Each structure stands twice: as C-alpha cells, then as structure tokens.
Amino acid sequence: MNATIIWAIFRKEIIDTFRDKRALVAMVAIPLLLYPALFLLVSQVAILQTTAVDKGWSRVAVLGDDMHLVRNWVEVIPKVDLVDMPDPRAALSRGELDVVIVVQTGARKVLQEGGTVEITVEYDATETASQRAATRLLEGLAKEKGRLLQQRLIQANITPEFIVPINVTKKNVASPTKVTGSLLGMIIPMIMVLMVGVGAFYPAVDLTAGEKERGTFETLLSTPVAKVDIVTGKFLAVFSLSMMTALLNLASMTTTFSFQIAQLPGELESALTFQISPYTGVLMALFLVPLAFFISAVMMSLAVFARSFREAQSYVTPFFLVILFPAAAAGVPGMNLNNVTQFLPITNVALLFKEMMKGEASPDATFAVLTSTAAYALLALLAAAWIFQREEIMLADSQGTTMPLRRAYLIPRTSAPVGLALFLYGVSLLLIFYLGTFLQLRSPFWGLLITQWGLLLAPAVLTAWYAKLDFSQTFHLVRPNPSQLLGGFLLSVGWLVLLLHINVWIQEVLPVPEEIEKDMEWMLERIHTSKGALGLYFAAAISPAICEEAVFRGVLLSSLKSYMRPWVVWLLVALLFGILHMNIYRLPATFLSGVVLSYLVWRSRSIFLGFFAHLIINASTLWLHLGPMPAYLRPILVTPLEQGEGLPLKILIPAIGCAFLGIAIMENAGRRFGAASVSNNP
Amino acid sequence: MIEAEHLSKTFYLPAGKRVEAVRDVSLRIEQGEIYGLLGPNGAGKTTLLRMLGTILTPSSGSCRIAGVSVATHPLEARRRIGFLSGNTKLYGRLCPREILAYFGRLYNMSPEAVASRTEELAQLLDMEKFMRRRCETLSTGQLQKVSIARVLLHDPQVLILDEPTLGLDILTSQHILDFIEKARRRGKTVIFSTHYMTEAELLCTRIGLIHQGKLLAEGTLETLREATGTTNLKDAFLSLIHWAPQESST
C-alpha cells in the first residue's frame, strides 16, 4: 500500500468525475432540484385539497314538520349553511346540497314528553364535501344532545356524575422522539439507501467499466502501481462521491422540509409527522458512512466485471433495486436487532438507525452491526481487487481465461496470497455468523465442535490443499526446540496471570451485561452436565487451540508476514482473531492474547507454541470457573478477581518477570524468520 | 536490455479449448538496438509485447527488463519500461499537462522533475499549443504525441511500442519514427511491432518474424534476405510464412 499513489489516483478520479457533465447532473443537480420540486408539488396539492374541503361551508337542508326546533340546533354548528330548497333530496343527489337532515314528525311534542327524537343525516358517501358535512352535523348535534341531557337531569334532580359511573381516558406515554422515531425509522433508511446508491452508482460504473471502455485501463496497468493501490484509490473516490451526493441529498431534503413546513397552515403542519430534527439529521449523516462504504464496495466489484458502461449498468441496477428491500424490511413493526438480523447487510444498519432514533441501541449490537458491515465491504473490495488481477477481465480485447481456477493448472505456492487468506477468513466469519451461532444454540457441545472443526479448520485445510499450498510452511508445522518451548511456556503462564488482572480493568470500562455472561455460563454448564469435564475441555480448550491456531497463526500469519512489518502482522492477525469471537466484551482480551500468540508463532516459526499457549489460556480459564481448586489457592486467585480488585502484587510481579524471561529466551532461541526466509522460497 | 527466455502464453477458452498465443519465444535485445516485430494479424505480437511490458503474466518462461526479473519484481521492471499500444489511450477529460503530472506521480517522480520534463517534451514534440486543451478535443496525431510524451516521461531504458504509427498521417508517422531513432542513439532498447515493411527496413537493427505464436526467424535485414533468397523484406516475409509448417491451434 502506497499512500501517495492512492492519493494521486483518488485525486485524479475526483477531478475527472467533476468534469463529466453526465455525472454532475446525476449526482448534484438532481438532488438539489428534486426535493424542493417534489415537496412543492405534494404540499401544494395537499393545501389545495384541504383548504377546498375544510374552508368550504356545508350546505344543509332540513326536512320535517318542526323546522324551527331543528334550525336552532343546526345554526350554532360552525361552517354550516342552512338552505331552503323545494326538493332537498333531489338536490343532494345532484350535488347542490351536502346533507339533508330528516326529523321525525311531532318532534317538539316527543321532546317535551321526555321521549327520543329520531334524526337522520342523509349524505353521499362518495363526495368528500358531503362526508365532511355529515361529520360536522353529527358532532354538532351530539353537543346539543349533551346539553338537552343535562337539562333533563337537572329537572329530575339527578347529578351529572350519577350517569357516569366510570370514566376511562387513554393516555399516550411514548416520548415524542419515540413516536417520530418509529415513524421516521421506517421511511428514512430507504431514503438513505437511495441517496447513497444514486451517489455511488455513476462513479462505480464509470471508474471501472467506463475506464475499460475508453481504453485507458491498459495505460494505468503499465505504470508501476500495485493493483491493490488502484482498487483502493478508486474505491475511496467512489465512496467519497457517494457520501458527497448523499450529504447533498440530506441537506437539500432537510432544508426543504424545515423551510417549507413552516409555511404550511397550522393544521397541516401538525399533521405532518415527517419532521427532521437536528439530532435526526446528524444521525442520518453518520449512518450514511457505513451504508456508503458497503454499497460503494459492492457496486464497484460488480461493475469491474463488465467491459462497457452499459453492461455494468445492467449488473449494478438489480443490486440497487434489491437493497431497497432489506432497507424497507427494517420498517416492519416488530423487527429488531437480534443475533440474526444484526448480521444481515443493509437491514442491520437500518435497524440500528431505528434503535438509535428511539434511543435504545446497545453497544454490543452497534459493534456487531459496524463490524459485520465493514467485513462485507472488505469482502466486496477483496473481490474487486482479485478481479483486477485477472488479466482476461481487465484487458478488454483478450481472449479466454489466463488464470484458470482448475486445480490441475494451479502453481504450487509456499503460503496463501493475502487476498486468498483474507477471503478464507471472510468465508469462515460468515459461516460462523449464520451457521455457527445457530448450531451452538441448538446444541452447545456439537455446535461448538462443528464451528471449530467444520467451519474454521476444514475450509482452511481444503483451501490449502486446493491452492497447492505447502502445508508445513502454511501451517508452520515445525517442531520447536526445547528453549523455544521453555520460553513459550514462561510467556504463556506470565501472560495468563496478567490477562486475569487486565480483565478486571476491562470489566470496569466495558462491563459485560449479565445476560451475556449468563448465556456463556449456560453453554459451559450444559456441556459440562451432558458431556462431563473431559468433553468440556475438548470442546472449549483443545478444539479452539487446534483449529483457531491453524487458521490465524497458520494460514493468515504465514500469508501476511511476507507483506508487512512484523508488528503490523501481529496486530492485524490479533484483530482478526478478536473479531471472530463476535463479542465486543471479549474483544480486548482476545485481541491482546492474539498479539501474544502471533508473536510466539512468528518468532518460533512453530504452530505448536501457539497451540500450547492457547491451550494453557483456555484450559486455565475453564479451570478457574469449574475447579477443582485447592483451598489454599482460592483466596489468592479467585476471591480478588471476583471482588473486582485484581490480583495482588506478589503474584503480578513474578508473572511480569516470567513473561519477560519468556520473551528473552524466545529472542535468543534463534530460528528467526521473516524477510530472510521469504527470499529463500522458490 | 530485454531478455526473454522460452516465453509462452496459453489462453483457456470457455469450451475447454486452449489457445497457445505465444509459444516458446526467446529474445535478447541489446541497448541501442531497435527490434522490429513483424507478423500477420493474430500472430501473437500484441500478446508477446504485453508479456514483455508486464501487462500479462507469462504461462511459462521468464523475462528480464534491464536486468530486473519481471516475475519477481514486476513494479521495478515496469519503472524501466515505456509501454505504448493501441489500447493505452489517454483520459479524455484531462489535458496533456494534467495527464503528464498524473503519470509522473504514478512513477513516483518529484513534482519539479515532472514539470521540467513536461516542458522539455512539449518543446521536443511540438505540443505547446495544445498542452491545456482537453484530450477529447485533440486530433489523432496530437494524441499520439501526448502518448509518446507519456511513454518517455520517466525516461525509461526500454521502449515497448505496439504499432506506434497505426492510423497516423505520413508527417506524424515520420515524426514518431524520428523519435524512435533518436531514442536508440541515446542508448535505449526499443522493440516495436508494425505492419509497414518500409518502416522496419529503414529503422530496425534487427527484425523478428512471428507467426502462429512462434518466432520463425530473426536477424538483420541482410541475413533475412539472404536466408530466403529475396531482395526485399516483403518477399522475405511472404516466403517465410509460406514455408512455415501450418498447424491449427488446439
């Protein structure tokens, strides 16, 4: 990766795009004009309709023998105009009248005798004005009915309360943000996906297929620039342009709404719940980032396949339409972030947005959503970078495939190329997201075993076999010498004690919610009761030590170490290792342990050191939970940890000493590898 | 210097067929040489030049550019190459000055070096009038001049030119041929493909004839004429192809 080159490519692509009139129209002019125009249209039509119906008076005629009595009741109703007509019913059907009121004969007498006067309001349900008039009259006459009832009660010497034994009122306790939150949460994610998609679409196609079509790609490929840098530079340009369009859209939409809504008549303004507060605006802007990242990456990797602009459009358009569904799905009532939905692309971001609007998002869900979105985007980018390597796709006129994927044609390699290693990681991550968590809920023991052996180790071994990788190099299958074993042992034990102490600190900064802790304990408990201690140690200590080491300190470490500085490799492998545990509360501890494990294997070149250290850490953690614990150890080891105090210095200082001694032995044990061994490889 | 050893390139067609576009070609071109690559359409000229230019990876065989192995250090090798073909077009929405600045950055040149080199090339190639016009508004000849400037910008030791005079008028062609000759005199290594026999006769120190992916013959104009018993390159070319064993690619 070369930052100067990436920046140069990024800058050139931005300048190039800004000089393209078609791009400017699609990305800038449309959003700036669309919202004001759309809003103007909708609001003007709405105003026209409501004012016509609301302000218009209702024309009413009365039928019956005691017109005078009813007239008194009707005349006090607002916006009602009493009309005298020869044939009111015919006038109603012709639309000249809105309502005809039919009063029974001898109404005054019935009223005086304490009876019930029958009144019918005849209206035309197909006419809005007629419906409105009928509602007005029913409301007005109901008021009159209440007034008359009051009179009768007074005459009969009954208090008004007497006829109301129970009074029930309904009260909405949801906060206003929550009400608007749920309403907005439904529509806004779709709008955001649209905004980002419109922004990413044009550059994603133009910078890849467009460049191929114009014949400038081979020029770029003839320069001494790594393909990864080309992909990264272009991706950053697509991402930025997409963000720019989306923010323009957002700004245009919010100003349109806040400006225009203020001009609406009062009743309509309160009827429109679609108001965007500054908080919502900022939140939307933030959420555009993961969406733009993901959508730009996928659109670009699709467009790279195409040889022409038009062909690319036909690949990207279906994707654009399809992603509107997961965005809309988030609006379905009852959809919430859970173990499954937090890993569904687009839907998870939309749901997280919804929860943020209601102020209900939890940190672990946020973490899961952001990491999985980043993982998907990285997968898409890796795919794009891989396609860039494929000559037959990148050179517009070439004939047939030049890099066959059939195993017979593949060339043996010492270790996996970075792209393949990261792709393998992504596949395992997805398999565990979808299959592993599901299986572990059904059966903790078998679920854990299948996850480790089937979803982690098996894909790694299969890939290594298919890609003709050198097994002993890829998986670091080298016997350690005794001094390395000693150094590794000292470092692992020292680190284990430190880790227990560090966990107390982590617990203070990032306390594990009781629910998650209980879930973990429930799993271990169930394995313990059903399969015994041996089964538990096999599933939770031995299996992870073998399978996780094979993937992380095997395939990934051996692949990355020849491309990056050692400490970058340790940190990166450790981060990938931490993320795989899919739990933000365990991330700090797994990450730090990952650094130690990566260092051990990197320095010794032997996977066995990683395996033993991993086993020591996992098995000891289980042992601390389950025992058996000798009585004299309990006050030193368990009690201070349970009380959240951390370990006493008389344990910590020897542990630190132990760890440093281990590192010192490792450093002197020889068998260094890194740059020196790479050049020896054929 | 260009050294190619047993270069082959195989393409795999969707139907399971293999096309051997280049078969076992070995070349050695010294500094100060102009090597002309001749051959009928589809002979494998472009594929061979693309492999030498590190645009394509050989299926087997190896090549070194100015002593740098293309397989192990492709980026270092590319730094020493100026590559031009019918498919290396220029960005239409940028002007020549911006294009040279962009490629200068991609070749890791300092901005000052790019600026002085740009001035120099603009004068040499007579491009000053259109340095600030967008490429989409330039004529074919003007564009080819910008392309030549792009190729020479980082002062490469090796020039790989795939039909550099295709579709140009006589004046511009001559201008570009003069440049190739000048580059040779300054000690560059040049390989170029062409369909124009006269160009090859005038310019090349050695000529290679490629047919059906194989290098049928190579040598100076005289040796080729002697070997075939002809008086000019055109007849030598036709006679070699006529006597070549015919095979269908499988």
Side-chain angles (χ1 to χ4, degrees):
Chain A
M1 297 285 253
N2 182 331
T4 329
I5 298 277
I6 293 174
W7 171 247
I9 294 176
F10 169 79
R11 239 192 91 204
K12 179 251 149 198
E13 297 297 359
I14 298 278
I15 293 173
D16 205 354
T17 308
F18 272 108
R19 288 194 186 161
D20 185 358
K21 282 192 205 90
R22 283 190 300 173
L24 286 187
V25 170
M27 291 163 53
V28 179
I30 288 179
L32 286 184
L33 295 175
L34 180 72
Y35 293 99
L38 207 69
F39 189 83
L40 213 65
L41 191 78
V42 171
S43 61
Q44 289 311 307
V45 169
I47 291 170
L48 240 127
Q49 278 191 338
T50 43
T51 46
V53 176
D54 229 39
K55 285 187 181 156
W57 284 63
S58 302
R59 296 155 300 172
V60 176
V62 181
L63 272 180
D65 59 349
D66 197 340
M67 312 273 272
H68 191 65
L69 173 77
V70 185
R71 266 174 186 277
N72 284 343
W73 297 343
V74 174
E75 268 170 354
V76 294
I77 303 173
K79 289 188 182 175
V80 166
D81 201 6
L82 268 178
V83 194
D84 280 322
M85 286 241 176
D87 187 358
R89 280 194 168 118
L92 175 64
S93 64
R94 282 196 306 270
E96 286 165 18
L97 265 182
D98 293 322
V99 156
V100 176
I101 300 171
V102 188
V103 187
Q104 77 173 101
T105 45
R108 191 175 296 261
K109 201 171 158 233
V110 174
L111 196 65
Q112 277 164 359
E113 285 168 358
T116 306
V117 176
E118 296 290 340
I119 298 178
T120 316
V121 175
E122 293 182 357
Y123 76 108
D124 183 344
T126 59
E127 293 289 335
T128 326
S130 181
Q131 281 181 18
R132 185 61 63 111
T135 317
R136 277 178 185 163
L137 279 168
L138 287 177
E139 279 169 10
L141 289 172
K143 268 187 204 158
E144 196 59 30
K145 176 181 148 193
R147 204 178 54 78
L148 290 168
L149 179 66
Q150 203 86 355
Q151 277 180 9
R152 283 187 179 182
L153 290 175
I154 291 165
Q155 275 171 15
N157 248 340
I158 300 170
T159 57
E161 289 77 20
F162 184 78
I163 59 158
V164 188
I166 301 177
N167 187 27
V168 184
T169 41
K170 194 165 88 178
K171 195 177 161 194
N172 183 5
V173 294
S175 62
T177 49
K178 199 169 166 179
V179 174
T180 49
S182 66
L183 279 168
L184 283 177
M186 282 204 257
I187 325 157
I188 289 187
M190 277 182 76
I191 296 178
M192 289 201 296
V193 166
L194 267 172
M195 288 173 173
V196 168
V198 166
F201 193 104
Y202 191 89
V205 170
D206 194 60
L207 266 53
T208 52
E211 173 144 22
K212 270 197 239 175
E213 193 175 357
R214 289 189 293 271
T216 53
F217 221 105
E218 205 168 315
T219 325
L220 190 57
L221 290 182
S222 74
T223 59
V225 174
K227 303 221 171 61
V228 187
D229 292 349
I230 300 181
V231 176
T232 313
K234 282 179 180 278
F235 167 72
L236 288 178
V238 176
F239 169 71
S240 309
L241 290 165
S242 155
M243 274 304 288
M244 184 205 75
T245 310
L247 287 175
L248 261 177
N249 267 288
L250 184 62
S252 168
M253 193 175 89
T254 37
T255 44
T256 309
F257 275 86
S258 50
F259 178 67
Q260 301 268 0
I261 283 174
Q263 295 190 334
L264 289 179
E267 304 163 46
L268 203 60
E269 190 187 341
S270 55
L272 271 173
T273 38
F274 197 86
Q275 277 178 358
I276 295 168
S277 66
Y279 171 72
T280 316
V282 171
L283 205 60
M284 282 176 74
L286 282 177
F287 271 78
L288 290 173
V289 178
L291 282 175
F293 198 77
F294 175 74
I295 293 174
S296 308
V298 177
M299 282 188 170
M300 221 178 99
S301 64
L302 287 173
V304 167
F305 273 109
R307 275 156 206 251
S308 67
F309 199 93
R310 212 171 258 266
E311 192 187 347
Q313 277 181 318
S314 65
Y315 296 159
V316 180
T317 311
F319 169 73
F320 193 12
L321 294 178
V322 162
I323 53 174
L324 288 176
F325 290 105
V332 174
M335 273 284 268
N336 284 309
L337 276 178
N338 57 38
N339 285 337
V340 178
T341 52
Q342 66 192 10
F343 298 123
L344 295 175
I346 304 281
T347 306
N348 58 2
V349 179
L351 283 173
L352 185 65
F353 178 77
K354 197 165 100 174
E355 312 225 323
M356 284 267 183
M357 295 280 293
K358 292 194 245 170
E360 286 173 355
S362 67
D364 54 335
T366 311
F367 173 77
V369 169
L370 295 182
T371 45
S372 58
T373 303
Y376 294 132
L378 283 181
L379 272 183
L381 272 188
L382 278 174
W386 180 70
I387 296 161
F388 267 63
Q389 308 275 359
R390 307 214 24 142
E391 303 159 344
E392 76 278 6
I393 300 177
M394 296 323 292
L395 300 179
D397 63 338
S398 99
Q399 30 177 335
T401 318
T402 59
M403 279 164 61
L405 283 180
R406 273 175 56 190
R407 188 167 185 269
Y409 295 137
L410 295 180
I411 305 154
R413 290 166 172 274
T414 48
S415 59
V418 175
L420 182 65
L422 291 179
F423 181 74
L424 174 72
Y425 173 76
V427 168
S428 280
L429 199 66
L430 288 185
L431 281 174
I432 296 173
F433 275 164
Y434 289 109
L435 204 60
T437 38
F438 168 74
L439 290 174
Q440 283 173 35
L441 282 178
R442 297 206 51 175
S443 159
F445 179 72
W446 292 112
L448 212 54
L449 284 193
I450 294 174
T451 304
Q452 293 288 345
W453 295 90
L455 308 183
L456 264 177
L457 186 66
V461 172
L462 276 176
T463 308
W465 169 78
Y466 194 89
K468 294 190 183 166
L469 304 182
D470 181 327
F471 267 65
S472 72
Q473 297 263 5
T474 301
F475 292 103
H476 294 126
L477 299 175
V478 175
R479 220 180 324 140
N481 62 36
S483 57
Q484 285 173 334
L485 274 178
L486 177 67
F489 177 75
L490 290 175
L491 177 55
S492 324
V493 173
W495 168 248
L496 171 69
V497 175
L498 284 177
L499 181 67
L500 292 174
H501 187 76
I502 292 170
N503 261 334
V504 175
W505 294 341
I506 297 172
Q507 182 70 17
E508 260 171 44
V509 184
L510 198 73
V512 181
E514 221 171 306
E515 245 180 76
I516 291 178
E517 203 162 10
K518 273 190 181 153
D519 279 354
M520 284 287 296
E521 273 168 20
W522 171 85
M523 247 183 76
L524 296 179
E525 230 21 77
R526 272 201 51 188
I527 300 177
H528 195 210
T529 47
S530 63
K531 307 287 169 195
L534 208 62
L536 179 59
Y537 278 99
F538 182 71
I542 297 173
S543 300
I546 295 175
C547 304
E548 288 173 9
E549 287 314 300
V551 172
F552 289 96
R553 259 63 64 180
V555 179
L556 278 165
L557 186 72
S558 64
S559 166
L560 296 176
K561 75 184 184 202
S562 50
Y563 293 89
M564 299 168 192
R565 287 158 211 261
W567 61 271
V568 180
V569 177
W570 307 338
L571 293 184
L572 188 59
V573 170
L575 185 68
L576 295 174
F577 177 65
I579 288 172
L580 188 94
H581 290 80
M582 272 179 274
N583 185 333
I584 190 175
Y585 305 104
R586 286 175 68 193
L587 181 67
T590 45
F591 169 70
L592 291 172
S593 298
V595 176
V596 174
L597 293 169
S598 304
Y599 165 76
L600 277 174
V601 178
W602 180 84
R603 181 50 92 206
S604 69
R605 262 180 111 170
S606 167
I607 193 82
F608 297 104
L609 252 65
F611 167 70
F612 289 129
H614 201 142
L615 190 63
I616 289 173
I617 295 172
N618 276 25
S620 310
T621 318
L622 286 178
W623 172 66
L624 281 174
H625 265 88
L626 303 166
M629 171 84 61
Y632 63 89
L633 272 178
R634 183 161 282 279
I636 323 174
L637 270 180
V638 183
T639 324
L641 292 177
E642 276 176 354
Q643 289 170 350
E645 290 167 2
L647 295 169
L649 280 179
K650 62 178 178 184
I651 293 185
L652 280 181
I653 290 169
I656 294 172
C658 192
F660 274 106
L661 185 63
I663 294 176
I665 295 175
M666 292 289 299
E667 288 295 317
N668 285 310
R671 269 204 186 171
R672 299 186 172 199
F673 77 103
S677 74
V678 174
S679 54
N680 291 339
N681 293 338
Chain B
M1 191 164 76
I2 301 173
E3 299 154 283
E5 276 167 30
H6 308 291
L7 277 186
S8 294
K9 183 69 184 178
T10 311
F11 293 101
Y12 300 84
L13 296 181
K17 279 188 179 175
R18 293 153 68 120
V19 176
E20 292 175 57
V22 171
R23 312 180 200 192
D24 196 25
V25 170
S26 298
L27 285 174
R28 189 183 164 89
I29 308 168
E30 303 290 337
Q31 265 192 314
E33 261 202 293
I34 299 180
Y35 191 98
L37 201 58
L38 302 181
N41 287 328
K45 295 189 298 291
T46 299
T47 305
L48 177 61
L49 292 181
R50 274 181 172 167
M51 280 194 284
L52 296 177
T54 77
I55 306 279
L56 281 178
T57 322
S59 304
S60 65
S62 63
C63 60
R64 297 167 80 82
I65 298 291
V68 179
S69 160
V70 166
T72 56
H73 299 90
L75 299 189
E76 277 309 304
R78 237 174 264 168
R79 240 175 248 296
R80 291 163 170 75
I81 300 173
F83 184 80
L84 175 82
S85 85
N87 294 309
T88 52
K89 299 211 175 76
L90 299 166
Y91 295 103
R93 293 190 285 266
L94 301 185
C95 68
R97 187 173 294 279
E98 288 167 324
I99 284 180
L100 294 181
Y102 178 50
F103 280 94
R105 248 178 253 128
L106 296 186
Y107 279 96
N108 235 341
M109 295 167 71
S110 71
E112 299 80 40
V114 175
S116 65
R117 187 87 178 125
T118 304
E119 288 314 313
E120 196 185 329
L121 289 168
Q123 266 182 11
L124 273 171
L125 288 160
D126 191 23
M127 323 197 298
E128 279 143 326
K129 268 175 280 168
F130 53 86
M131 282 302 277
R132 290 185 189 280
R133 268 172 57 194
R134 286 195 191 181
C135 285
E136 55 199 1
T137 64
L138 302 183
S139 71
T140 319
Q142 288 171 326
L143 279 176
Q144 195 68 348
K145 283 183 180 179
V146 182
S147 280
I148 294 280
R150 199 261 307 152
V151 167
L152 297 175
L153 180 71
H154 57 292
D155 197 21
Q157 285 150 270
V158 169
L159 292 178
I160 300 173
L161 312 170
D162 191 4
E163 303 190 26
T165 54
L166 187 72
L168 298 181
D169 62 50
I170 300 171
L171 267 175
T172 327
S173 299
Q174 194 50 51
H175 205 90
I176 281 163
L177 294 175
D178 288 348
F179 255 92
I180 296 175
E181 177 56 29
K182 268 185 210 161
R184 183 191 71 79
R185 267 185 251 137
R186 281 191 294 130
K188 307 284 176 200
T189 309
V190 184
I191 179 168
F192 84 102
S193 69
T194 183
H195 282 299
Y196 305 117
M197 298 295 154
T198 42
E199 277 181 8
E201 279 174 331
L202 273 173
L203 214 57
C204 297
T205 52
R206 265 194 305 153
I207 289 164
L209 185 71
I210 190 167
H211 180 52
Q212 292 182 337
K214 280 184 184 157
L215 198 59
L216 283 187
E218 66 169 354
T220 58
L221 190 56
E222 287 71 36
T223 51
L224 283 180
R225 279 196 300 229
E226 274 168 29
T228 51
T230 51
T231 52
N232 61 43
L233 187 58
K234 192 183 103 187
D235 292 339
F237 178 89
L238 290 173
S239 128
L240 279 165
I241 287 178
H242 180 75
W243 294 110
Q246 296 293 316
E247 343 175 357
S248 58
S249 52
T250 46

